[in-house]
Amino acid sequence: MVDSTIETAAVAIVGLFALNLAGKALLHVYKTFLRPGKNLKKLGKWAVITGATDGIGKAYALALAKKGISIVLISRTEAKLQDVKKEIEEKKYEGVEVSYVVCDYSKFDKAAQAKVEKAIKPLDVGVLVNNVGVSYRYPMYFHELTDDEVQNLMTMNIDSTVWMTRMVLPGMLEKKSGAIVNISSASALYTLPGLAEYSGSKGFIEKFSRAINAEYSSKGVTCQCQAPFYVATKLAKMRKSLMVPTATEFVSLAIKWVGYSADCVVSPFLLHAFQGWVMDILPEFILTPQIMSMHMATRKRGQKKDALKAAEKKD
Ligand SMILES: NC(=O)c1ccc[n+]([C@@H]2O[C@H](COP(=O)([O-])OP(=O)(O)OC[C@H]3O[C@@H](n4cnc5c(N)ncnc54)[C@H](OP(=O)(O)O)[C@@H]3O)[C@@H](O)[C@H]2O)c1
């Protein structure tokens, strides 16, 4: 009797969980594939994208240009900026202009901010993609980072987002239209030993985005935090697989969510979202040690590579 009651309760719990997952998945599919994307061109002539010469940033630049939006590319390597500018211009999208600003976001001091501001202030900016960011070379204990690495990560991940947002907000508020997209990471959503400062910085972006969205969405300016798991880019050092989309695949889905203020923190790739829903039900005392041991294994491999490189240099 007791056994059958426990069995029934277990079946009911599993059933409810499956139902909940199915509901979330259906809603996600609707929002990604069936709901019409916002007309981003209506928000303003220009989109500004940081870290726009590779990975997710470059994919956003190409996708927004395809929608007829003019693009300001911002990154640190001028030759790569020129290549991406040329790549977009060769597509000959009607009315699309492309310009660029060379900026090293690891040194985003007042002078660098003034240079970027001078370039974008006169423009009718409808979309800002705060994409630039850096992670660790591989997972490490926090004390193993150099002081420079600690500072760079804060400047690139946090300062860039905060100051770029302040630059475009006045113009967006004046015309009551704009969409700010902040690229965070799924690492913001969990306790991440081995990547403490990276996940902390992305957590900042998540909270910042939520509050900015709440402050301004009634004034026509939305702020969305997109939090992917792995995307196959240089930063992630991962190859494409079922769970790891290319940057182009990721952005082709992610762009459809931009401008929906009710979806403030999103994981636009369905299998990422699914991974998140499953991780959400695991208690922290199970999840955190798992992440820790995974990261420590990657750390060991990274340290081995470092040691090999150092030995090669000596020879
Ligand atoms: N890939 C993932 O799995 C993943 C997952 C979650 C979140 N994210 C986030 O997504 C964002 C983009 O990452 P990604 O994977 O697309 O990176 P990526 O492929 O390595 O591209 C990075 C871009 O940022 C630029 N950049 C790097 N350092 C810079 C600096 N100091 N100043 C100015 N520009 C700089 C690069 O320009 P150069 O070519 O000149 O170096 C490049 O255009 C990051 O915020 C990252 O945290 C990525």
Side-chain angles (χ1 to χ4, degrees):
M1 174 71 183
V2 175
D3 276 0
S4 76
T5 312
I6 292 173
E7 213 170 272
T8 313
V11 169
I13 289 169
V14 171
L16 279 176
F17 174 64
L19 213 63
N20 182 277
L21 269 188
K24 282 179 175 166
L26 278 177
L27 193 61
H28 198 284
V29 166
Y30 163 72
K31 289 180 172 180
T32 310
F33 299 104
L34 302 173
R35 181 174 68 173
K38 294 275 184 186
N39 182 352
L40 302 178
K41 203 176 161 183
K42 260 173 101 180
L43 302 176
K45 177 176 165 62
W46 291 86
V48 175
I49 300 147
T50 68
T53 50
D54 229 318
I56 296 170
K58 180 180 173 187
Y60 255 114
L62 290 166
L64 288 163
K66 197 174 177 183
K67 288 189 176 293
I69 300 168
S70 293
I71 307 291
V72 183
L73 308 159
I74 313 183
S75 241
R76 69 182 157 180
T77 314
E78 183 155 22
K80 287 178 76 176
L81 285 160
Q82 286 168 342
D83 285 349
V84 179
K85 179 177 186 310
K86 192 165 160 236
E87 190 176 335
I88 298 174
E89 283 170 348
E90 279 173 358
K91 300 203 184 282
K92 299 196 183 314
Y93 296 125
E94 207 187 318
V96 171
E97 294 174 55
V98 188
S99 69
Y100 68 76
V101 184
V102 181
C103 172
D104 181 347
Y105 277 102
S106 68
K107 300 176 180 68
F108 201 40
D109 54 15
K110 288 291 162 204
Q113 289 165 30
K115 177 181 168 186
V116 173
E117 185 157 28
K118 192 173 165 210
I120 67 174
K121 199 96 193 176
L123 306 177
D124 170 18
V125 177
V127 178
L128 166 67
V129 184
N130 277 316
N131 163 75
V132 77
V134 68
S135 184
Y136 295 12
R137 282 181 296 124
Y138 50 79
M140 295 181 210
Y141 287 96
F142 180 59
H143 75 272
E144 293 173 334
L145 296 170
T146 64
D147 284 355
D148 278 350
E149 284 170 336
V150 169
Q151 185 58 60
N152 277 355
L153 193 145
M154 277 192 280
T155 312
M156 279 188 58
N157 294 10
I158 300 176
D159 287 19
S160 67
T161 303
V162 171
W163 293 113
M164 289 302 299
T165 300
R166 271 179 82 80
M167 272 178 220
V168 300
L169 254 180
M172 288 181 171
L173 288 174
E174 203 177 309
K175 62 187 167 120
K176 296 189 176 61
S177 72
I180 298 168
V181 182
N182 292 333
I183 307 296
S184 169
S185 160
S187 70
L189 312 174
Y190 307 97
T191 302
L192 229 69
L195 288 174
E197 191 189 356
Y198 177 70
S199 67
S201 70
K202 294 298 187 182
F204 170 88
I205 290 174
E206 187 217 314
K207 285 281 182 277
F208 179 67
S209 306
R210 282 186 191 277
I212 293 287
N213 189 54
E215 283 178 25
Y216 297 108
S217 58
S218 63
K219 298 175 169 46
V221 180
T222 60
C223 183
Q224 185 178 72
C225 168
Q226 299 196 336
F229 281 81
Y230 285 120
V231 177
T233 66
K234 282 188 191 144
L235 178 141
K237 301 182 191 93
M238 300 279 280
R239 283 209 204 106
K240 179 193 158 39
S241 67
L242 181 68
M243 297 301 291
V244 183
T246 63
T248 306
E249 287 165 350
F250 172 77
V251 168
S252 71
L253 303 172
I255 201 167
K256 296 188 178 157
W257 294 71
V258 175
Y260 280 98
S261 66
D263 299 314
C264 180
V265 178
V266 299
S267 190
F269 184 65
L270 179 61
L271 292 180
H272 285 174
F274 191 82
Q275 188 177 345
W277 300 327
V278 172
M279 283 170 75
D280 284 346
I281 57 156
L282 294 175
E284 180 134 359
F285 73 88
I286 292 178
L287 191 59
T288 306
Q290 285 297 323
I291 293 174
M292 177 80 173
S293 79
M294 202 176 81
H295 280 173
M296 288 304 117
T298 317
R299 170 176 172 268
K300 232 183 203 164
R301 287 195 295 275
Q303 285 176 327
K304 248 187 198 165
K305 272 189 195 159
D306 276 359
L308 270 175
K309 268 188 203 157
E312 274 170 18
K313 252 190 185 172
K314 255 190 183 172
D315 291 344

